[in-house]
Amino acid sequence: MKKKIVLMGFMGAGKTTVGKYLSEKLSCEFLDTDECIEAAEGRKISEIFASDGEKAFRDMETALLKKLQEKETPFVLSIGGGMPVREENRALLRSLGTVVYLKTSKETILKRVAGDVSRPLLQGGELEEKITSLMKARESIYIETADRIIETDGRTPDELAEELLGVL
Ligand code: S3P
């Protein structure tokens, strides 16, 4: 098993929850790119998008991935759903470790993110339409980037973490 595991997937796929379970089972550190950026900036992702714009946030994501390349100890990393859209990030993610795509249906995502105000890309307008068009644009990117694809619908985070332990 490679020493670093990257959990990728759409907003609401459960990357952070599964990542925490998996890191406990592996007794290694857990990192979440959104949390790292919020801690470094001292403000919420929604505030970064509102005052600096999406491009600035994407630059912060790339800078963080570059910094993580230098980290030698093992970790499980949960990434923001839009991270792999940038080609440069895809190469960085793959060089970091094993990239797992947590694949989740639109119906499940819709249920999970309904009412969420923390994700700027899902605010305003029709939620289902936003999810449909973002998923359409990203699905092939996730598949192209992934070393492993795991279907998450109807499964608990603990079950998913166990399955990952078995296949990685
Ligand atoms: C984003 C996903 C979010 C966060 C930001 C943008 C995206 O992370 O990085 O709101 O572009 O899909 P989660 O996937 O953890 O919700």
Side-chain angles (χ1 to χ4, degrees):
M1 190 195 289
K2 282 198 198 170
K3 279 201 283 183
K4 289 154 192 162
I5 295 156
V6 177
L7 298 184
M8 170 183 71
F10 203 77
M11 293 173 262
K15 293 162 289 190
T16 305
T17 316
V18 174
K20 283 182 181 160
Y21 276 91
L22 184 61
S23 65
E24 269 174 35
K25 290 177 195 291
L26 291 169
S27 304
C28 73
E29 188 178 3
F30 171 72
L31 294 164
D32 177 285
T33 58
D34 287 341
E35 284 171 11
C36 290
I37 291 171
E38 288 185 337
E41 287 290 310
R43 49 192 178 141
K44 294 277 169 202
I45 305 285
S46 54
E47 294 172 58
I48 299 172
F49 267 72
S51 31
D52 301 5
E54 181 173 353
K55 159 96 174 44
F57 174 71
R58 300 299 175 198
D59 288 343
M60 290 172 196
E61 288 191 310
T62 303
L64 174 62
L65 280 188
K66 286 183 178 161
K67 218 169 110 190
L68 288 173
Q69 308 284 322
E70 291 156 25
K71 207 170 154 61
E72 281 172 10
T73 49
F75 57 80
V76 173
L77 177 71
S78 151
I79 60 170
M83 179 81 89
V85 174
R86 225 183 232 196
E87 195 179 350
E88 182 182 10
N89 292 353
R90 296 203 280 279
L92 286 165
L93 289 167
R94 291 184 57 83
S95 74
L96 206 54
T98 306
V99 183
V100 178
Y101 170 28
L102 296 183
K103 186 171 160 55
T104 310
S105 69
K106 187 176 75 185
E107 292 67 33
T108 301
I109 297 289
L110 244 176
K111 278 188 216 141
R112 294 223 186 112
V113 302
D116 180 293
V117 291
S118 70
R119 294 177 170 105
L121 295 184
L122 300 181
Q123 304 313 301
E126 224 280 301
L127 183 62
E128 187 169 353
E129 271 172 29
K130 282 180 190 293
I131 294 175
T132 305
S133 80
L134 277 174
M135 274 193 150
K136 202 168 155 228
R138 291 178 177 177
E139 175 74 3
S140 58
I141 291 175
Y142 291 147
I143 290 171
E144 172 202 319
T145 314
D147 294 300
R148 297 266 172 191
I149 301 175
I150 303 274
E151 306 257 355
T152 71
D153 283 289
R155 329 231 340 247
T156 67
D158 192 45
E159 282 167 0
L160 291 165
E162 276 298 327
E163 177 172 344
L164 279 169
L165 275 184
V167 298
L168 288 170

